[in-house]
Amino acid sequence: DSGVTQTPKHLITATGQRVTLRCSPRSGDLSVYWYQQSLDQGLQFLIQYYNGEERAKGNILERFSAQQFPDLHSELNLSSLELGDSALYFCASSPRGDPGHTEAFFGQGTRLTVV
Amino acid sequence: AQTVTQSQPEMSVQEAETVTLSCTYDTSENNYYLFWYKQPPSRQMILVIRQEAYKQQNATENRFSVNFQKAAKSFSLKISDSQLGDTAMYFCAFYMGRRALTFGSGTRLQVQP
């Protein structure tokens, strides 16, 4: 158990809908990263938050947004969903923002299926 | 931009034998980190081993070791005494400060009994 909790584990929704994925980082970790993994591919970085502020942005679509709350949990919002958004979405956390990823641990992911 | 290449989509090894997974990367930077992550069927991403580029000594974690060749930009993973539980996708990843992890496309490893 990495200590990073993602909910829900599975999500099935229709095209055009909006969903929210939630991530609770390890206790004390200030940094949260979101990644997308499409079928049998490597992870693609979406966005990073550090202590409530956006720190880095990757290939995140305009239909997607994220935030980190004062209690440090994070939410990834996906709207106007398309079939191609079906993927495994991972959250990772680390104590620091830079070089945070030397100490990052991943959650178990949320599998999103858009039908 | 950094790129990570894993040229072996699938590999197979007999239980108790040794297997090496290849990874090459491209960067113009001098200070960075390299990782191997394991993703079993449960889909959990598990950190296997980590290497700091400024360290010449190859990292080792129990049955897992790396061969880090900085000049050649090569970072291979050796798994000794393979076990059935090693069956998984293995991803090589690169990290440099103030960026996110860059992952390779993965190698699917099957350990045969």
Side-chain angles (χ1 to χ4, degrees):
Chain A
D1 184 6
S2 66
V4 179
T5 303
Q6 289 188 247
T7 55
K9 287 188 171 50
H10 303 277
L11 195 52
I12 301 175
T13 190
T15 54
Q17 295 297 305
R18 171 189 171 94
V19 297
T20 298
L21 312 184
R22 181 187 170 100
C23 171
S24 294
R26 295 186 314 161
S27 178
D29 282 2
L30 300 177
S31 202
V32 169
Y33 307 80
W34 285 98
Y35 285 85
Q36 178 193 54
Q37 184 183 29
S38 299
L39 187 62
D40 288 336
Q41 293 184 18
L43 280 68
Q44 299 294 319
F45 170 66
L46 295 178
I47 198 164
Q48 177 199 359
Y49 278 83
Y50 176 72
N51 203 20
E53 295 190 1
E54 182 182 304
R55 173 63 72 96
K57 218 168 188 176
N59 298 322
I60 187 167
L61 300 172
E62 286 191 8
R63 301 183 286 108
F64 296 180
S65 65
Q67 54 184 328
Q68 186 178 29
F69 294 87
D71 66 352
L72 300 177
H73 91 270
S74 179
E75 293 181 356
L76 178 67
N77 300 297
L78 315 176
S79 61
S80 302
L81 284 167
E82 303 175 358
L83 296 178
D85 298 326
S86 295
L88 198 55
Y89 291 85
F90 282 102
C91 167
S93 77
S94 69
R96 298 175 291 169
D98 176 33
H101 256 316
T102 62
E103 303 165 290
F105 292 86
F106 283 78
Q108 289 191 311
T110 292
R111 178 169 293 286
L112 173 67
T113 302
V114 182
V115 298
Chain B
Q2 288 77 28
T3 58
V4 178
T5 302
Q6 294 180 249
S7 58
Q8 304 153 314
E10 295 187 6
M11 293 194 72
S12 181
V13 63
Q14 291 296 123
E15 199 174 3
E17 293 188 348
T18 295
V19 64
T20 298
L21 309 183
S22 300
C23 173
T24 59
Y25 58 94
D26 186 25
T27 183
S28 58
E29 302 296 330
N30 197 45
N31 296 318
Y32 48 87
Y33 298 81
L34 294 162
F35 306 82
W36 280 97
Y37 279 89
K38 169 185 177 181
Q39 188 178 42
S42 68
R43 294 294 187 175
Q44 174 87 47
M45 292 292 289
I46 302 167
L47 178 63
V48 175
I49 200 163
R50 176 174 68 198
Q51 175 81 42
E52 291 93 335
Y54 63 87
K55 289 186 177 179
Q56 292 186 340
Q57 186 174 6
N58 289 325
T60 298
E61 289 287 343
N62 301 314
R63 299 183 294 107
F64 298 87
S65 61
V66 298
N67 183 6
F68 174 47
Q69 301 289 328
K70 191 172 184 179
K73 297 179 183 176
S74 171
F75 183 60
S76 61
L77 174 70
K78 186 172 82 170
I79 306 174
S80 305
D81 185 25
S82 296
Q83 300 175 0
L84 295 178
D86 296 333
T87 292
M89 282 287 286
Y90 287 82
F91 291 98
C92 178
F94 173 100
Y95 176 76
M96 197 182 66
R98 296 196 175 277
R99 309 274 174 84
L101 284 168
T102 300
F103 284 87
S105 56
T107 296
R108 186 181 303 277
L109 176 66
Q110 181 71 44
V111 179
Q112 305 285 355

